[in-house]
Amino acid sequence: MRFKLFRLLFLLACVAAVSARANKPAAIDWHDTTRDVYIANEIDRAAQVLASDSPSRLALVSSKLDRAIVLNINEQTISAVSKDAFHFSADRTSATSDGDAKMEAIGKFTRLDGPIYFFAVDGKPILIRAHPGLTGEMTMEKLWETVPVWRAEMENYQPSAEAVAAIKASDKDANVTLIYGTWCPDSKNYMPRLIKALQAAGNTHVHLKLIGVDNQFHEPVDTVQPRAITNVPTVIVERDGREIGRIVETPAAKTIEEDLAAILSGKAIVHNGRWERGPMLARGAYSYRDANGKEVGSETWELFSTTSGGLLAHSRVTMNDVTTEVFHEVEANRRPKFVEVTKQHGPERTRTRHTVDRRTMTARMRGSNSGVILQTVEVPEQFFLSSPAVVAQGWLPEPVSSHSGKNVTASYAAPAEFNRAMGTLAQMSFETKNDESVKVPCGEFRARHITRKMENQISEWWLHPQLGIPVRGQVPGGVQFILTSLEIAPPNK
């Protein structure tokens, strides 16, 4: 009887323990975010700010405060919690906090434009604001002092042994300039890793220079403009005063040290863009021809599916003395998601990203001589975003693309000209006609004929029956776009 009682008590204790674990609040995930923190009117570079979502919160951990401070952004309240409640990753770029940690409400904060957060703790005024970036050439010590988390990430990173060996084996002098923003997440992700790889290689032939750029791409002027910096990080590799390669924003290979090793060996890797993509659907090329049939430009392109059921086009256009690279993605219903346009004209370079979030389209341009130009446009649900990539000109929004007859929608055209950065929203009408037989250099197709009219300018398009890309197109002025090659990927089994 006593044994049965003991067994019953043991089972009840187990059930209580399981129930307690099940009812314990889940741990909170945090990620590092670079901000400027002022405590008692002095900047605290060693302070770390963490962010979490759902709900939106910021956490401040500083040696100048006895406890960590948590800001609930939506409620505009502040609470204090033990620093021991936070468990950091080795590189301090992320942390978790105990879901059941005791939080003490201590007041509210004031939110100013920026956003800037202002409050007081234990009589100390505290201000948290966006970090604009340390600019100009700097030492490694100054970099670590400004963004201490970068140093922790560098110390905990294990670079590719093969890439380090290749960098170490380079026997020609090279200047490697790291241009970054101490405010930039991509810079934080890649620069410490490259520095670690260079330190591990210990090659005295490789001479390193560090230069910071502000978040508006204005300073330093003698770096941003002459070197055509449109995105950070940018790594420029030079020999004998001549650039032999650069890495822009993200590496083409798996790691950034592999990219540098390839450039030093004279075998730079072509970057196919940072955008995620699914299987390739097709690749091909267009010829741009004037009214007399003379070729005035060309476009090579690749078409991919996306994990969300949409499409992504990657296009390279050469016309006159301007080269243009385009990434253009639409969702499954052919609603625009983003367009990125990079234009190169001699030493000048601009990059514009158009992103669509519900009913708002934001265009942000960075250029060699312009800093940052920002445009925000409110767009309707039925919306067509025209990019310089001909391959995407058939991506009409549903139900426009699936009905015959006349339809009207709003349209925004991202300019193809180098000296134009932003476009305007205008009304566009579509008229879908019968399918027609169209013969072009790469074959003959039964293509859907569509007429587009915007601001009294009419263009004609004939779309591929399966892919929906133009087989042929004609715009005002007599310029034609002819599909000259097409390779369709076999279906996935």
Side-chain angles (χ1 to χ4, degrees):
M1 182 69 180
R2 183 177 297 175
F3 175 76
K4 290 182 178 179
L5 179 61
F6 176 78
R7 184 178 181 184
L8 177 61
L9 292 174
F10 177 76
L11 290 174
L12 289 174
C14 290
V15 170
V18 171
S19 176
R21 284 196 296 270
N23 294 326
K24 181 179 179 180
I28 302 169
D29 293 325
W30 302 85
H31 63 272
D32 177 74
T33 177
T34 305
R35 307 288 178 100
D36 281 352
V37 178
Y38 291 84
I39 299 179
N41 302 318
E42 292 185 359
I43 192 163
D44 182 4
R45 291 293 187 194
Q48 185 166 6
V49 178
L50 304 165
S52 74
D53 302 318
S54 302
S56 178
R57 285 168 291 195
L58 291 178
L60 168 62
V61 181
S62 169
S63 60
K64 296 184 178 181
L65 301 173
D66 294 334
R67 294 175 291 175
I69 306 301
V70 177
L71 286 69
N72 188 312
I73 304 303
N74 295 329
E75 297 179 1
Q76 290 193 253
T77 59
I78 54 175
S79 303
V81 64
S82 170
K83 294 179 184 179
D84 293 337
F86 289 85
H87 310 287
F88 285 88
S89 61
D91 62 6
R92 294 193 69 87
T93 60
S94 63
T96 60
S97 64
D98 302 326
D100 58 353
K102 184 178 179 181
M103 305 275 288
E104 178 188 348
I106 57 175
K108 287 183 169 287
F109 65 82
T110 300
R111 181 170 181 171
L112 308 175
D113 291 339
I116 299 172
Y117 305 98
F118 178 76
F119 53 96
V121 174
D122 298 332
K124 299 177 181 178
I126 299 175
L127 184 142
I128 302 174
R129 70 170 191 179
H131 174 62
L134 188 67
T135 64
E137 188 172 348
M138 65 186 77
T139 63
M140 199 77 72
E141 290 73 20
K142 188 65 176 179
L143 176 62
W144 300 147
E145 176 190 327
T146 305
V147 277
V149 171
W150 288 31
R151 183 171 194 165
E153 184 179 3
M154 183 273 292
E155 291 173 343
N156 286 274
Y157 178 64
Q158 296 300 322
S160 162
E162 185 177 343
V164 168
I167 295 171
K168 186 175 184 177
S170 180
D171 59 359
K172 297 179 181 178
D173 281 351
N175 294 320
V176 178
T177 304
L178 310 189
I179 302 170
Y180 51 82
T182 51
W183 48 270
C184 169
D186 282 329
S187 296
K188 177 170 67 176
N189 191 30
Y190 292 109
M191 290 300 92
R193 299 179 184 186
L194 186 56
I195 291 170
K196 181 64 174 287
L198 287 166
Q199 289 182 351
N203 189 337
T204 56
H205 291 290
V206 178
H207 310 285
L208 182 63
K209 181 184 289 187
L210 308 176
I211 299 178
V213 173
D214 75 292
N215 59 4
Q216 294 300 309
F217 286 75
H218 289 149
E219 299 292 339
V221 174
D222 59 354
T223 296
V224 174
Q225 294 185 10
R227 292 183 177 270
I229 304 301
T230 60
N231 291 81
V232 287
T234 293
V235 180
I236 299 177
V237 185
E238 297 167 300
R239 280 200 177 112
D240 300 322
R242 181 178 64 87
E243 181 176 324
I244 63 171
R246 70 169 59 191
I247 307 165
V248 179
E249 199 169 27
T250 59
K254 185 177 180 180
T255 66
I256 192 166
E257 59 266 25
E258 290 176 76
D259 270 26
L260 177 59
I263 293 172
L264 290 172
S265 67
K267 301 175 182 178
I269 305 169
V270 176
H271 202 312
N272 288 319
R274 66 179 296 167
W275 309 107
E276 294 183 5
R277 65 204 73 180
M280 180 184 290
L281 302 177
R283 60 160 58 96
Y286 290 102
S287 173
Y288 294 12
R289 302 177 182 178
D290 63 17
N292 298 318
K294 179 182 177 181
E295 185 168 88
V296 294
S298 63
E299 175 180 337
T300 58
W301 54 268
E302 298 170 321
L303 181 64
F304 302 88
S305 62
T306 65
T307 55
S308 61
L311 296 170
L312 172 69
H314 179 204
S315 178
R316 290 186 174 91
V317 180
T318 302
M319 196 167 183
N320 299 322
D321 54 354
V322 176
T323 59
T324 305
E325 183 176 28
V326 180
F327 289 91
H328 189 149
E329 183 175 341
V330 292
E331 298 173 348
N333 62 0
R334 301 300 179 261
R335 179 172 169 78
K337 188 172 182 180
F338 80 85
V339 168
E340 178 185 271
V341 181
T342 304
K343 304 171 189 174
Q344 188 87 32
H345 180 215
E348 297 181 51
R349 192 168 184 262
T350 66
R351 174 172 288 178
T352 307
R353 282 182 181 157
H354 305 77
T355 55
V356 181
D357 182 10
R358 298 179 182 176
R359 297 296 183 87
T360 302
M361 189 200 75
T362 303
R364 182 184 294 269
M365 193 207 83
R366 294 170 180 168
S368 304
N369 302 308
S370 62
V372 176
I373 299 175
L374 185 67
Q375 179 188 35
T376 302
V377 179
E378 296 302 313
V379 299
E381 184 63 33
Q382 192 165 286
F383 168 56
F384 176 68
L385 177 52
S386 175
S387 73
V390 169
V391 68
Q393 291 299 317
W395 290 350
L396 310 182
E398 293 182 351
V400 172
S401 60
S402 56
H403 290 76
S404 18
K406 295 183 177 181
N407 296 273
V408 177
T409 188
S411 176
Y412 178 97
E417 299 86 353
F418 184 83
N419 58 354
R420 289 184 61 204
M422 305 298 179
T424 57
L425 193 67
Q427 190 178 76
M428 176 180 282
S429 64
F430 297 84
E431 183 176 358
T432 304
K433 300 182 179 180
N434 295 328
D435 292 353
E436 300 175 11
S437 180
V438 178
K439 189 174 183 179
V440 290
C442 66
E444 187 170 353
F445 304 91
R446 192 72 182 168
R448 172 170 289 189
H449 184 188
I450 290 180
T451 299
R452 286 195 335 224
K453 182 177 181 181
M454 185 172 70
E455 296 179 346
N456 297 319
Q457 293 190 333
I458 298 175
S459 59
E460 305 282 343
W461 301 91
W462 289 263
L463 306 182
H464 189 279
Q466 284 83 42
L467 299 174
I469 65 170
V471 171
R472 179 171 168 262
Q474 184 168 324
V475 297
V479 175
Q480 295 189 64
F481 308 100
I482 308 296
L483 188 65
T484 55
S485 69
L486 177 63
E487 178 185 340
I488 299 177
N492 294 329
K493 296 183 179 179

